[in-house]
Amino acid sequence: MLKVENLTKKYGEKHAVEHLSFSVSTGEVFGLLGRNGAGKTTTIKMMLGLVTPDEGSVMWKSQKGLKGASFGYLPEERGLYPKAKVADQLSYFARLEGMEKSIIKRSVDYWLDRFDIAMYRNKMAGDLSKGNQQKVQLAATLLHNPDLIILDEPFSGLDPVNTNLLTQVILEEKQKGKVIIMSSHQMEQVEKFCKEVVLMKDGQALLAGDLETIKNSYGLMYLSLYGDVDKLISFCQEQEYPFEQEEKRIIVPLKSDQEPLTVLTQLKNENIEVSEVTYLQPTLHQIFVEKVGS
Amino acid sequence: MNALWTAYLFHIKEQIRTKGFRITSIVISILILGYFAYNHFSSNEEKVLVTVINTSKYYSLDDKLLKENIEGLQLHSEQIKNEEKEQQKIKDQDLDHLIVIKEQDSVPVVNYYYHRSPDPTVMFAFTTQLQQQYLSKVSTEHALSQEVVTELFQNIPVEETMLAENNGSLGIVYVFIFLMYTFIIMFGQGVAMSITGEKSTRVMEVMITKIKPIYMLFAKILSSLTAGLIQVSVFLLSGYLAYLIGWINKDLFSIFGFGLDLSQVNAGLIIGFIFFFACGYLVYALCFAALGSVISRTEDLGSVMGPVMVLVVGALMVGIKTMMDPTGGLVTFSTYFPFFSPIVAYSKFVMGEISTLELLISGAVLIISIGLLAYAASRIYVKGVMVYGEKFKWSQLTAMLKK
C-alpha cells in the first residue's frame, strides 16, 4: 500500500503542491488529475525522491520513501538513448533493476511482443516514430515486474489502437495486484481504471476520493432522451430547458431530483413519444471542466 | 558498485559503436601510416636546388665535395646578370637557395638568398670551402710552412657532458602533452556532451530513478577514459605497424622534429605517464561533467565550458614553456597547480628537472584536488541533472555546492 501524507512543495512564494494526501491499495489504479501546471508531476517527483518535499511523507509498505521498492516510472517527458538499439537499452535498464541475465532476455522479448514492437529490437530508438518510442518506454517501465507503477500521461502520443493495447496492459497489471498511479488528461481512460482520484488545481486537491462517490455527490445530473429529435428539440425550446444534442439523443441537465418526473409528465401531456430514457451521472470530463476549467 | 559496472559497460559499448569513434580511429590510423610512409619514401628523393653565381677570380667550388656534404644537392651555375631572375625563382619557390660569391680586397664575400628560413647545412658547406681556400691563399702569400698551415686548420676538440639527470628525450614530453591535450578536448568534452545529451533527451529522468547519480557520473567519466585509451591503442598499433613494415628508423625516430629515443623508456617513465595522464584527465573530466549537468541543451555547452577550455589551453602553453625553461617561475608554480601540474610535473620528471620531494608533493596535491573536485562535481551533478529550462548562472554552482 502506498500512502502520501500532507505532501507540500513551495518554489519561492508559490505552492507547487499544498498539503496533498491520498493512499492507494494493491490492485488499484489511482488517478492524479489536473490541468497543466496543477502540481501532478511535482507530486510524482516527490514520491520518487527526485524533488525533496518541504513537508509531508511518502510511505510504501509501511516504510518511509520508495528506497528499496520495486517501481516502474514512466516520466511525462519521454527519454531514451537515441543512438542505442532498443533491445540493448531495455536490457541495460533491466540490469540496473537487478534482474538476472537469464530472465532479462525473456522479459525483453515478452514486452517487445506485447507492445507489438519486436521488429524494432535492433533499431536505434531515435529512428522510431514517437508512438513506438512511447511503447519502448512503457516496456522499460514494466519489464522488471515492479510492484508500484507510476505513469505520467501514459496515453499521450498513442493512436487509438495503441491506446486500447495500453488499456489492456494496465488492466492486466491491475489484476496482478500492482499499485498503479496514473496522471492523465484523458478522462475516459481514467474512468475505465481508477477507483479513486484526486483532482488538483494550483497544487491543491479540489476533489479527492472514490470516483463513484464524487460523481454521486456532484449535484448536476443529466436526462438522456432518445426519440424524435425534432419534436424533442421543440419541446425543450418551448419549456425553456437547456439541452445538448448528441446524434439522436437530447441531453437535458437537471436542477433537482424532482425535475426528471416533471419532464416526463410534460412529454406525456404533449404526446411526444420517447423510446429510451436514461438518467445520467456527470462524466469525469464534465466534472474536470467544471471544476478546473477557468 | 554493480550498477556502476553495468552503466560503465553500457556507455563504453555505446561509445565504441558510434560511427564517429570508428571513423576517427580509421582516419587517424591512416594518417599516421601515411605520415611515416611519406617520411620514408620522400627522405631519399628530397632535392636541394642551389644556384651559384661566382664572380670571384681566386675562389672556386668543389662540386663533388658540396654534393657529399649536402644531401640531394642539385647545383646550377649562373651569370651575374641573371641574379634578379634567380631571386625571383626563390620567391616563386622554383629554387631553394642562391649563393652569390664576390670578392672584396681578395676576401670572399657571400650573399645568401633563401625563401623564408636559411639552411645551416647549405651555408656551412659553402662557407667552409671558401674559408679553407682563403686560409690557403693567405698562408701562401705569407709563405707559411706546411706545419703552420696544418696547425691553423686543427679543429678544437669539444667534449659534451650533460650534468642534469635526464630520464628521457623531449619527444616523450611532446607525446605526453599532445596526447593529454587531444584527449581532454576529445573525450573530456565528450563527457559533458553525453551528460547534457541525457538531459536534453530526458533519459536522465528515467536513469535517475534506477541508478545513483554519482555512479552515473563516474561510469561516464571512466567509460570515456577507456574508450579514449582504446582509440590511442589503435593509433599506437598503426605506428607499430609502420615500424614493422620498416617505415620508421628507430635511431632517427622523431615526432615533429623532437627526437624520441625509445631505448630510454623505462618502468618509471611508464608509471609516471599513466599516473599523470589519468590524473590530468580526471581533473578536467570532473569539471566538464559538473558543467554538463547544469545546462539542459547541448547548444549551451560552448558558453559554459569556456573557462575550463581556457585552463586546458593554459596547460598546453605552460607545457610547451616547460620544455624550453623547466625551472622558470611560472613553471615552478604550475608544478603544484592541479590544472597544469599533470603536464608540467611529468615533463619536468622526464627532463630530470624535478626532485623526488617536489614530485611527491605535486602528486599529493593532485590527488587531494581530484578528491575535492569529485566531491564538488558529484554535489553539482546530483542537483544539476534535475534542473531544466533555467538559464545557467555561475552563482547556481555555489548554491548547488551549499545545499
Side-chain angles (χ1 to χ4, degrees), chain B residues 246-299:
Chain B
W247 291 345
I248 297 174
N249 181 350
K250 69 174 182 180
D251 297 327
L252 298 171
F253 184 44
S254 69
I255 302 280
F256 300 114
F258 291 93
L260 184 59
D261 186 352
L262 297 173
S263 66
Q264 287 182 319
V265 176
N266 55 34
L269 276 186
I270 293 170
I271 291 167
F273 191 104
I274 293 168
F275 173 77
F276 283 109
F277 192 85
C279 288
Y281 169 77
L282 277 175
V283 165
Y284 285 99
L286 284 165
C287 293
F288 284 128
L291 293 174
S293 69
V294 294
I295 51 166
S296 312
R297 299 177 309 164
T298 42
E299 302 93 276

Side-chain angles (χ1 to χ4, degrees), chain A residues 45 50 71 73 75 77-84 88 92-93 95-97 137, chain B residues 3 6-7 10-11 14 17 198 201-203 205-211 216 386:
Chain A
K45 285 185 174 174
L50 302 179
F71 65 87
Y73 168 49
E77 301 272 0
R78 312 297 182 236
L80 292 168
Y81 289 101
K83 287 177 184 170
D88 286 349
Y92 172 50
F93 294 149
R95 274 199 298 277
L96 289 176
E97 294 292 348
Q137 188 97 51
Chain B
T6 304
F10 175 78
H11 287 298
E14 290 310 309
R17 270 186 190 163
E198 276 185 348
T201 57
R202 300 280 177 162
V203 74
E205 286 205 32
V206 179
M207 295 305 299
I208 210 92
T209 62
K210 295 183 185 293
I211 178 172
M216 271 180 80
M386 293 310 296

